[in-house]
Amino acid sequence: MQTDWKVADNRLGILFILPFVLTALVFMVYPVLDAVRMAFFYIDPLDPTGDHFAGIDNFQFIFSDPLFWKSFQNAAVWTGTSIVLQTAIGVSLALLLHLQLRGISFFRGLLLFPYIVPTVVIALTWQWMLNPEVGIVNYALKRAGLISENIYWLSTPGMAMVSTIMLNVWKYTPFVTICVLARLQTIPLELYDAAAVDGASVVRRFLDITLPQLGEVLVVVVVFRTIWTFNKFEEIYLLTRGGPGTSTFNLAIYSFEQSIANLKMGVGAATGVFMMCLLFVGSVIYIRLFRFDEDSTA
């Protein structure tokens, strides 16, 4: 009788998980496999004869294209700077919001605002704020005496990259803060009490207790934020269209332009496959290095 119940439970579990499996196969596994297939074919939507096998020609094309490497460089700068700033600011905000103060719950809720606002709305708002003539950013900097002439945020190569990074940091730092704050609330207070009795300063308590306790969470956060930021398309495209020139052109925009503007679907797919492999290998290496450091300090 007990065996029959176990069999019934297993069947019920399979029934419940089946919709997720089917959804994952249709919307996750199939698109990835089809992108890998497309990377090895010449695909022109206007060609009635269909796809033609290309071998590694698409990969040879992107690796010999200077714009591809420029896009890769921009993507590395955009991702690395964004992740460092998001992590530093996110941890700092989490430490502040962890303080037991009156009304702190209101600020914790307010933190979610940038994360839930649609990207299109944010991009249009930032375009207005960064307008060199009527934007509030230049106006505020002038009133504060920090600048004497208008800064052309979105039409100067260096400042355009800074502007896109600022938008990304503003929107996604709350994700880091929420994850870190959740972990801070589970750290035993006895550790801090014992450290205080031993005469440890606030800095030493942060370095010896808080930071090691946040290690596992920060690894997950950094990996996910790196993947999402490296693949980001809509923020840069809506704000600068990859310009001025190619100063904010990243690999996601490069793949889009090759696929849609140039009708080279295979080249765009090859770029996506390269990004996927690069992020997968980088994530595995990063996690293994962290585990090595964790084991060596145990």
Side-chain angles (χ1 to χ4, degrees), residues 198-265:
D198 292 338
S201 63
V202 175
V203 176
R204 292 309 311 174
R205 276 178 277 175
F206 173 76
L207 295 176
D208 296 336
I209 299 176
T210 305
L211 200 56
Q213 292 288 331
L214 296 178
E216 294 182 356
V217 171
L218 289 177
V219 166
V220 175
V221 167
V222 169
V223 168
F224 276 95
R225 285 304 312 141
T226 299
I227 294 173
W228 294 337
T229 304
F230 195 80
N231 287 325
K232 270 296 173 183
F233 165 80
E234 66 274 15
E235 292 171 6
I236 297 179
Y237 193 78
L238 290 171
L239 198 62
T240 65
R241 293 293 195 277
T246 57
S247 58
T248 58
F249 225 79
N250 68 349
L251 289 178
I253 296 180
Y254 177 85
S255 177
F256 172 80
E257 290 293 332
Q258 292 293 345
S259 300
I260 305 302
N262 299 333
L263 296 180
K264 296 179 179 180
M265 304 291 291

Side-chain angles (χ1 to χ4, degrees), residues 57-123:
D57 288 354
N58 291 325
F59 292 95
Q60 290 178 338
F61 176 87
I62 62 175
F63 292 148
S64 62
D65 187 2
L67 181 56
F68 171 84
W69 293 111
K70 175 62 176 177
S71 303
F72 177 79
Q73 179 184 354
N74 291 338
V77 172
W78 145 270
T79 302
T81 307
S82 298
I83 297 305
V84 170
L85 292 176
Q86 288 176 30
T87 304
I89 298 174
V91 172
S92 301
L93 289 176
L95 291 173
L96 290 175
L97 294 174
H98 187 56
L99 298 175
Q100 300 302 317
L101 301 175
R102 175 179 292 183
I104 198 67
S105 299
F106 170 77
F107 292 99
R108 291 174 181 172
L110 192 64
L111 182 71
L112 292 173
F113 178 75
Y115 195 64
I116 62 178
V117 176
T119 303
V120 175
V121 176
I122 293 177

Side-chain angles (χ1 to χ4, degrees), residues 219 222-223 227 277-293:
V219 166
V222 169
V223 168
I227 294 173
C277 295
L278 180 66
L279 289 171
F280 176 77
V281 173
S283 299
V284 170
I285 293 175
Y286 179 79
I287 294 175
R288 288 182 65 88
L289 286 176
F290 171 79
R291 287 180 177 177
F292 175 80
D293 291 340

